[in-house]
Amino acid sequence: MKKYYLASASPRRKELLGSLGIEFEIMPAVSEEVITDTDPAKVVESLSRQKSEEIFHKILTNESADIIVIGADTVVSYKQKILGKPKGTDSARSMITMLSGNVHQVFTGVTVMYRLNGQQGSVTFHSKTDVEVYEMTEKEIESYISTSEPYDKAGGYGIQGLFGRYVKGISGDYNNVVGLPISELYHVLSNLGLL
Amino acid sequence: MKKYYLASASPRRKELLGSLGIEFEIMPAVSEEVITDTDPAKVVESLSRQKSEEIFHKILTNESADIIVIGADTVVSYKQKILGKPKGTDSARSMITMLSGNVHQVFTGVTVMYRLNGQQGSVTFHSKTDVEVYEMTEKEIESYISTSEPYDKAGGYGIQGLFGRYVKGISGDYNNVVGLPISELYHVLSNLGLL
């Protein structure tokens, strides 16, 4: 009997992990995130590891079953510079203006920590997707930042929502942009015998 | 006052068109589809035009307002050969086996027919997305075709559902694979003053 844990409160990650047909418990990591790098791929890998480790150690002693903890972190980057969540209207405007008419990258790092038949192990990987955004008019930018959508999201946009009309195309895994590269995660779990 | 009509019964197209924030009526085309070509791009353009025309002419005389009718058709193709909806288990197995480990194309054609201030016009375009599928094991193929997912879908799969775990990545518009290239449609409508 395997018990799965998702170390994230994101409803989008919950939905994606659910598509694998497994049952899992949501247990968001709460520790302060510690960033010691500027390279987006290394940052998301490190943050996913921090989240996963926190939850793994929290449940390890209280749970005798096989356990699998999945942690993930997503950032948006433009020209290798990480864009966080916008702090207000001005910050959202400058992020969306930067993305307009350009190609940017979305990185998600994922860490799987597990104890299976008494053996512990972990795997960390990241996935990168290029996202091309149409040139936006000033009116379109103002209209978008006047909605609530940009303010809780890395890079100031959500690809599934109102911003979809401005996304010309992507190259890579779409679900990675949503927040969890589910096909790569499925293959990692499958290859480790964790499904 | 503009009235919008979607000439399709697809719930996925309904959701995507809804993301533009417009209200519209769903009026699926019912005429027999007439295919006179083998090129996937020409086929989807032609079918989208047939659907849109049918509904446009149906409402033209009964409606005095400005009207905009949107028709769309999606096909999956591998090596320029169109894959329809699988007719049963054998047909689904052979389609998924064909897609496994390869890159295929999804084409959606869209036709917008309108009457605006008494003037009629129409625009037809298509969008193409490359989809790369992981190599699947026999067990994975059997497991997938034993679900209900493949049987009402062109090419035998739905990118949003259980098949997501097998999609390595795409190049192009994700929503085009879902069934409606909403960003290109938004720009067409916007440029014609139809929004």
Side-chain angles (χ1 to χ4, degrees):
Chain A
M1 163 83 187
K2 303 186 190 81
K3 291 187 103 174
Y4 299 87
Y5 297 85
L6 176 62
S8 167
S10 154
R12 296 172 291 275
R13 289 200 182 110
K14 180 186 165 190
E15 194 185 329
L16 284 167
L17 188 58
S19 79
L20 295 190
I22 55 175
E23 278 180 44
F24 53 92
E25 201 173 306
I26 291 171
M27 208 181 266
V30 292
S31 299
E32 191 71 36
E33 298 180 347
V34 183
I35 299 175
T36 56
D37 209 297
T38 55
D39 177 59
K42 288 186 185 151
V43 168
V44 293
E45 288 203 352
S46 164
L47 291 176
S48 76
R49 212 152 34 224
Q50 290 172 38
K51 291 178 181 179
S52 185
E53 269 171 8
E54 177 190 329
I55 301 307
F56 188 73
H57 292 300
K58 202 171 274 176
I59 55 181
L60 198 55
T61 46
N62 301 321
E63 181 58 69
S64 58
D66 289 337
I67 53 177
I68 294 127
V69 177
I70 296 155
D73 193 80
T74 302
V75 303
V76 170
S77 87
Y78 179 61
K79 294 184 174 171
Q80 283 291 103
K81 191 177 167 295
I82 292 176
L83 310 183
K85 293 177 185 175
K87 291 185 177 62
T89 312
D90 288 347
S91 159
R93 184 183 295 110
S94 91
M95 281 185 198
I96 299 299
T97 303
M98 203 181 275
L99 303 182
S100 164
N102 290 311
V103 176
H104 66 271
Q105 285 70 43
V106 179
F107 290 85
T108 296
V110 179
T111 294
V112 177
M113 300 196 78
Y114 58 94
R115 183 183 61 196
L116 187 66
N117 306 321
Q119 299 276 350
Q120 290 182 24
S122 81
V123 177
T124 298
F125 66 92
H126 76 271
S127 175
K128 184 189 89 157
T129 304
D130 288 321
V131 179
E132 183 174 3
V133 177
Y134 274 98
E135 185 85 48
M136 293 168 72
T137 65
E138 208 179 299
K139 199 176 149 200
E140 287 172 334
I141 294 174
E142 292 306 318
S143 159
Y144 185 66
I145 65 172
S146 76
T147 70
S148 63
E149 201 175 271
Y151 298 98
D152 62 337
K153 296 186 183 71
Y157 79 90
I159 196 166
Q160 287 182 296
L162 299 171
F163 200 74
R165 69 186 75 170
Y166 304 119
V167 175
K168 194 162 187 175
I170 71 167
S171 179
D173 183 1
Y174 176 82
N175 294 321
N176 183 49
V177 184
V178 176
L180 195 63
I182 199 68
S183 61
E184 192 163 351
L185 175 57
Y186 163 77
H187 285 87
V188 165
L189 293 172
S190 183
N191 293 337
L192 290 168
L194 297 176
L195 276 182
Chain B
M1 164 79 187
K2 301 187 190 82
K3 291 187 103 172
Y4 298 87
Y5 297 85
L6 176 61
S8 166
S10 153
R12 299 171 291 273
R13 290 201 182 109
K14 179 185 167 192
E15 194 185 328
L16 284 166
L17 188 59
S19 79
L20 296 189
I22 56 174
E23 277 180 45
F24 54 91
E25 201 173 306
I26 292 171
M27 209 180 268
V30 291
S31 299
E32 192 71 35
E33 298 180 347
V34 183
I35 299 177
T36 57
D37 208 297
T38 56
D39 177 59
K42 287 187 187 149
V43 168
V44 292
E45 289 203 352
S46 164
L47 290 177
S48 76
R49 210 150 39 220
Q50 291 172 36
K51 291 178 180 177
S52 186
E53 269 172 8
E54 177 189 329
I55 302 307
F56 189 72
H57 292 301
K58 201 171 275 177
I59 55 181
L60 198 56
T61 46
N62 302 320
E63 181 58 70
S64 59
D66 289 336
I67 53 178
I68 294 127
V69 177
I70 296 155
D73 192 80
T74 302
V75 303
V76 170
S77 86
Y78 179 61
K79 294 185 175 171
Q80 283 292 101
K81 190 178 169 294
I82 293 177
L83 310 183
K85 294 177 186 174
K87 290 184 178 63
T89 312
D90 288 347
S91 158
R93 182 183 298 111
S94 90
M95 280 185 198
I96 299 299
T97 303
M98 203 182 273
L99 303 181
S100 164
N102 290 311
V103 176
H104 65 271
Q105 285 69 43
V106 179
F107 291 84
T108 297
V110 180
T111 294
V112 177
M113 299 197 78
Y114 58 94
R115 182 182 61 197
L116 187 65
N117 305 321
Q119 298 277 350
Q120 292 182 23
S122 82
V123 177
T124 298
F125 66 91
H126 77 271
S127 175
K128 183 189 89 156
T129 304
D130 287 321
V131 179
E132 184 176 4
V133 177
Y134 274 98
E135 184 84 47
M136 294 168 71
T137 64
E138 209 179 299
K139 201 177 148 199
E140 288 171 335
I141 294 173
E142 291 306 317
S143 159
Y144 185 65
I145 65 172
S146 75
T147 70
S148 64
E149 202 175 89
Y151 299 96
D152 62 336
K153 295 185 182 71
Y157 78 91
I159 197 166
Q160 288 180 296
L162 299 171
F163 200 74
R165 71 185 73 170
Y166 304 119
V167 175
K168 195 163 188 174
I170 70 168
S171 179
D173 183 0
Y174 176 83
N175 294 321
N176 183 48
V177 184
V178 176
L180 195 64
I182 199 68
S183 61
E184 191 163 351
L185 176 58
Y186 163 78
H187 285 87
V188 165
L189 293 172
S190 183
N191 293 337
L192 290 168
L194 297 176
L195 276 182

Coordinates of all heavy atoms in Angstrom, one line a residue, chain A residues 7-56:
Chain A
A7 N 3.2 18.1 -2.0 CA 3.6 19.2 -1.1 C 3.3 20.6 -1.7 O 4.2 21.4 -1.8 CB 5.1 19.0 -0.9
S8 N 2.1 20.8 -2.2 CA 1.7 22.0 -2.8 C 0.2 22.2 -2.7 O -0.6 21.3 -2.7 CB 2.0 21.9 -4.3 OG 1.4 22.9 -5.1
A9 N -0.1 23.5 -2.5 CA -1.6 23.9 -2.3 C -2.2 24.2 -3.7 O -3.4 24.5 -3.7 CB -1.7 25.0 -1.4
S10 N -1.5 24.2 -4.8 CA -2.0 24.7 -6.0 C -3.1 23.8 -6.6 O -2.9 22.6 -6.8 CB -0.9 24.7 -7.1 OG -1.4 24.6 -8.4
P11 N -4.3 24.3 -6.8 CA -5.4 23.5 -7.4 C -5.1 23.0 -8.8 O -5.6 21.9 -9.1 CB -6.6 24.5 -7.4 CG -6.0 25.9 -7.2 CD -4.7 25.7 -6.6
R12 N -4.2 23.7 -9.5 CA -3.9 23.2 -10.8 C -3.0 22.0 -10.8 O -3.1 21.1 -11.5 CB -3.2 24.4 -11.6 CG -4.1 25.6 -11.8 CD -3.4 26.7 -12.4 NE -2.4 27.3 -11.5 CZ -2.7 28.2 -10.5 NH1 -4.0 28.7 -10.4 NH2 -1.8 28.7 -9.7
R13 N -2.0 22.0 -9.8 CA -1.2 20.8 -9.6 C -2.0 19.6 -9.1 O -1.8 18.5 -9.5 CB -0.1 21.1 -8.6 CG 1.0 22.0 -9.2 CD 2.3 22.0 -8.4 NE 3.2 22.9 -9.0 CZ 3.6 24.1 -8.4 NH1 3.2 24.4 -7.2 NH2 4.4 24.9 -9.1
K14 N -3.0 19.9 -8.2 CA -3.8 18.9 -7.7 C -4.6 18.2 -8.8 O -4.7 16.9 -8.9 CB -4.8 19.5 -6.7 CG -5.8 18.5 -6.1 CD -6.8 19.2 -5.3 CE -8.0 18.3 -4.9 NZ -9.1 19.0 -4.3
E15 N -5.1 19.0 -9.8 CA -5.9 18.4 -10.9 C -5.0 17.6 -11.8 O -5.4 16.5 -12.2 CB -6.5 19.6 -11.7 CG -7.6 19.1 -12.6 CD -8.1 20.3 -13.5 OE1 -8.1 21.5 -13.0 OE2 -8.5 20.0 -14.6
L16 N -3.8 18.1 -12.1 CA -2.9 17.4 -12.9 C -2.4 16.0 -12.3 O -2.4 15.0 -13.0 CB -1.7 18.2 -13.3 CG -2.0 19.3 -14.3 CD1 -0.9 20.3 -14.4 CD2 -2.2 18.7 -15.7
L17 N -2.1 16.1 -11.0 CA -1.6 14.8 -10.4 C -2.8 13.8 -10.3 O -2.6 12.6 -10.5 CB -1.1 15.1 -9.0 CG -0.4 13.9 -8.3 CD1 0.7 13.4 -9.1 CD2 0.0 14.3 -6.9
G18 N -4.0 14.4 -10.1 CA -5.2 13.5 -10.1 C -5.4 12.8 -11.4 O -6.0 11.7 -11.5
S19 N -4.9 13.4 -12.5 CA -5.1 12.7 -13.9 C -4.3 11.4 -14.0 O -4.5 10.7 -14.9 CB -4.7 13.7 -15.0 OG -3.3 13.7 -15.1
L20 N -3.4 11.2 -13.0 CA -2.7 9.9 -13.1 C -3.5 8.8 -12.4 O -3.1 7.6 -12.4 CB -1.3 10.0 -12.3 CG -0.3 10.9 -13.0 CD1 1.1 10.8 -12.3 CD2 -0.1 10.7 -14.5
G21 N -4.7 9.1 -11.9 CA -5.5 8.1 -11.3 C -5.1 7.6 -9.9 O -5.5 6.5 -9.5
I22 N -4.2 8.4 -9.3 CA -3.8 8.0 -7.9 C -4.5 8.8 -6.9 O -4.9 10.0 -7.2 CB -2.3 8.1 -7.7 CG1 -1.8 9.5 -8.0 CG2 -1.5 7.1 -8.5 CD1 -0.3 9.7 -7.7
E23 N -4.6 8.3 -5.7 CA -5.2 9.1 -4.6 C -4.0 9.7 -3.8 O -3.0 9.0 -3.6 CB -6.1 8.2 -3.7 CG -7.5 8.1 -4.2 CD -8.3 7.3 -3.3 OE1 -8.3 7.5 -2.1 OE2 -9.0 6.4 -3.9
F24 N -4.2 10.9 -3.4 CA -3.0 11.5 -2.6 C -3.6 12.5 -1.6 O -4.7 13.0 -1.7 CB -2.1 12.2 -3.6 CG -2.7 13.2 -4.5 CD1 -2.8 14.5 -4.2 CD2 -3.2 12.7 -5.7 CE1 -3.4 15.4 -5.1 CE2 -3.8 13.6 -6.6 CZ -3.9 15.0 -6.3
E25 N -2.7 12.8 -0.7 CA -3.1 13.8 0.3 C -2.3 15.1 0.0 O -1.2 15.1 -0.4 CB -2.6 13.3 1.7 CG -3.3 14.0 2.9 CD -3.0 13.3 4.2 OE1 -3.1 12.0 4.3 OE2 -2.5 14.0 5.1
I26 N -3.0 16.2 0.2 CA -2.3 17.5 0.0 C -1.8 18.0 1.3 O -2.5 18.2 2.3 CB -3.3 18.5 -0.6 CG1 -3.7 18.0 -2.0 CG2 -2.8 19.9 -0.7 CD1 -4.8 18.8 -2.7
M27 N -0.5 18.3 1.3 CA 0.2 18.8 2.5 C 1.2 19.8 2.1 O 2.4 19.5 1.8 CB 0.9 17.6 3.1 CG 1.1 17.7 4.6 SD 1.9 16.2 5.3 CE 0.5 15.2 5.8
P28 N 0.8 21.1 2.0 CA 1.7 22.1 1.4 C 2.8 22.4 2.3 O 2.7 22.4 3.6 CB 0.7 23.4 1.4 CG -0.6 22.8 1.5 CD -0.5 21.6 2.3
A29 N 4.0 22.6 1.7 CA 5.2 23.0 2.5 C 5.0 24.4 3.0 O 4.4 25.2 2.3 CB 6.4 22.9 1.6
V30 N 5.5 24.7 4.2 CA 5.3 26.0 4.7 C 6.6 26.8 5.0 O 6.5 28.0 5.3 CB 4.4 26.0 6.0 CG1 3.0 25.5 5.7 CG2 5.0 25.0 7.0
S31 N 7.7 26.1 5.0 CA 9.0 26.7 5.3 C 9.3 27.9 4.4 O 8.9 27.9 3.2 CB 10.1 25.7 5.3 OG 9.9 24.7 6.2
E32 N 10.0 28.8 4.9 CA 10.5 29.9 4.0 C 11.4 29.3 2.9 O 12.2 28.5 3.1 CB 11.4 30.8 4.9 CG 11.8 32.1 4.3 CD 10.6 33.1 4.3 OE1 9.8 33.1 5.2 OE2 10.6 33.9 3.3
E33 N 11.1 29.8 1.7 CA 11.9 29.3 0.5 C 13.3 30.0 0.5 O 13.4 31.2 0.7 CB 11.2 29.6 -0.8 CG 9.8 29.0 -0.9 CD 9.1 29.3 -2.2 OE1 9.5 30.2 -2.9 OE2 8.1 28.6 -2.5
V34 N 14.3 29.2 0.4 CA 15.7 29.7 0.4 C 16.3 29.6 -1.0 O 16.4 28.5 -1.6 CB 16.6 28.9 1.4 CG1 18.0 29.5 1.4 CG2 15.9 28.9 2.8
I35 N 16.5 30.7 -1.6 CA 17.1 30.7 -3.0 C 18.6 31.1 -3.0 O 18.9 32.2 -2.4 CB 16.3 31.7 -3.9 CG1 14.8 31.3 -3.9 CG2 16.9 31.8 -5.3 CD1 13.9 32.3 -4.7
T36 N 19.4 30.2 -3.5 CA 20.8 30.5 -3.4 C 21.5 30.5 -4.8 O 22.7 30.4 -5.0 CB 21.5 29.3 -2.6 OG1 21.2 28.1 -3.3 CG2 21.1 29.3 -1.2
D37 N 20.6 30.6 -5.8 CA 21.1 30.6 -7.2 C 20.3 31.6 -8.0 O 19.3 32.1 -7.6 CB 20.9 29.2 -7.8 CG 22.0 28.9 -8.8 OD1 22.0 29.5 -9.9 OD2 22.8 28.0 -8.6
T38 N 20.8 31.9 -9.2 CA 20.0 32.8 -10.1 C 19.6 32.0 -11.4 O 18.7 32.5 -12.1 CB 20.8 34.0 -10.6 OG1 22.0 33.5 -11.2 CG2 21.2 34.9 -9.4
D39 N 20.2 30.9 -11.6 CA 19.8 30.1 -12.8 C 18.4 29.5 -12.6 O 18.2 28.7 -11.6 CB 20.8 29.0 -13.0 CG 20.5 28.1 -14.2 OD1 20.3 28.6 -15.3 OD2 20.3 26.9 -14.0
P40 N 17.4 29.8 -13.5 CA 16.1 29.3 -13.2 C 15.9 27.8 -13.0 O 15.2 27.4 -12.2 CB 15.3 29.8 -14.5 CG 16.1 30.9 -15.1 CD 17.6 30.6 -14.7
A41 N 16.6 27.0 -13.8 CA 16.5 25.6 -13.7 C 17.0 25.1 -12.3 O 16.4 24.3 -11.7 CB 17.3 24.9 -14.8
K42 N 18.1 25.7 -11.9 CA 18.6 25.3 -10.5 C 17.7 25.8 -9.4 O 17.5 25.1 -8.4 CB 20.1 25.9 -10.3 CG 21.1 25.1 -11.2 CD 22.5 25.6 -10.9 CE 23.5 24.9 -11.9 NZ 24.7 25.8 -12.1
V43 N 17.1 27.0 -9.6 CA 16.2 27.5 -8.6 C 15.0 26.6 -8.4 O 14.7 26.2 -7.3 CB 15.8 29.0 -8.9 CG1 14.6 29.4 -8.0 CG2 17.0 29.9 -8.8
V44 N 14.4 26.2 -9.5 CA 13.1 25.4 -9.3 C 13.5 24.0 -8.8 O 12.7 23.4 -8.1 CB 12.3 25.4 -10.6 CG1 11.7 26.7 -11.0 CG2 13.1 24.8 -11.8
E45 N 14.6 23.5 -9.2 CA 15.0 22.2 -8.7 C 15.2 22.2 -7.2 O 14.7 21.4 -6.4 CB 16.2 21.7 -9.4 CG 16.0 21.2 -10.9 CD 17.0 20.2 -11.4 OE1 18.0 20.0 -10.7 OE2 16.8 19.7 -12.5
S46 N 15.9 23.3 -6.8 CA 16.2 23.4 -5.4 C 15.0 23.7 -4.5 O 14.8 23.1 -3.5 CB 17.2 24.6 -5.2 OG 17.3 25.0 -3.9
L47 N 14.1 24.5 -5.0 CA 12.9 24.8 -4.3 C 11.9 23.6 -4.2 O 11.3 23.3 -3.2 CB 12.1 26.0 -4.9 CG 12.8 27.4 -4.7 CD1 12.0 28.5 -5.4 CD2 13.0 27.7 -3.2
S48 N 11.9 22.8 -5.3 CA 11.1 21.6 -5.3 C 11.6 20.6 -4.3 O 10.9 19.9 -3.6 CB 11.0 21.0 -6.7 OG 12.1 20.3 -7.0
R49 N 13.0 20.6 -4.1 CA 13.6 19.7 -3.2 C 13.3 20.1 -1.8 O 13.0 19.3 -0.9 CB 15.1 19.6 -3.4 CG 15.8 18.3 -3.1 CD 17.0 18.1 -4.0 NE 17.8 19.3 -4.3 CZ 18.3 19.6 -5.5 NH1 18.1 18.8 -6.5 NH2 18.9 20.7 -5.6
Q50 N 13.4 21.4 -1.5 CA 13.1 21.9 -0.2 C 11.7 21.6 0.3 O 11.4 21.1 1.4 CB 13.3 23.5 -0.1 CG 14.7 23.9 -0.2 CD 14.8 25.5 -0.4 OE1 14.0 26.2 0.2 NE2 15.7 25.9 -1.2
K51 N 10.7 21.8 -0.7 CA 9.3 21.5 -0.3 C 9.1 20.0 0.0 O 8.4 19.6 0.9 CB 8.4 21.9 -1.5 CG 8.3 23.4 -1.7 CD 7.4 23.7 -2.9 CE 7.3 25.2 -3.2 NZ 6.5 25.5 -4.4
S52 N 9.7 19.2 -0.9 CA 9.5 17.8 -0.8 C 10.1 17.2 0.5 O 9.6 16.4 1.2 CB 10.1 17.1 -2.0 OG 9.9 15.7 -2.1
E53 N 11.4 17.7 0.8 CA 12.1 17.3 2.0 C 11.3 17.6 3.2 O 11.2 16.8 4.2 CB 13.5 17.9 2.1 CG 14.6 17.1 1.4 CD 15.9 17.9 1.3 OE1 16.0 19.0 1.9 OE2 16.8 17.4 0.6
E54 N 10.8 18.8 3.3 CA 10.1 19.3 4.5 C 8.9 18.3 4.8 O 8.8 17.8 5.9 CB 9.5 20.7 4.3 CG 8.7 21.2 5.5 CD 7.9 22.5 5.1 OE1 8.4 23.3 4.4 OE2 6.8 22.7 5.7
I55 N 8.1 18.0 3.8 CA 7.0 17.1 4.0 C 7.4 15.6 4.2 O 6.8 15.0 5.1 CB 6.0 17.2 2.8 CG1 5.5 18.6 2.6 CG2 4.8 16.3 3.0 CD1 5.0 19.3 3.9
F56 N 8.4 15.2 3.5 CA 8.9 13.8 3.7 C 9.3 13.6 5.1 O 8.9 12.6 5.7 CB 10.1 13.6 2.7 CG 10.5 12.2 2.7 CD1 9.8 11.2 2.0 CD2 11.7 11.8 3.2 CE1 10.2 9.9 1.9 CE2 12.2 10.5 3.2 CZ 11.4 9.5 2.5

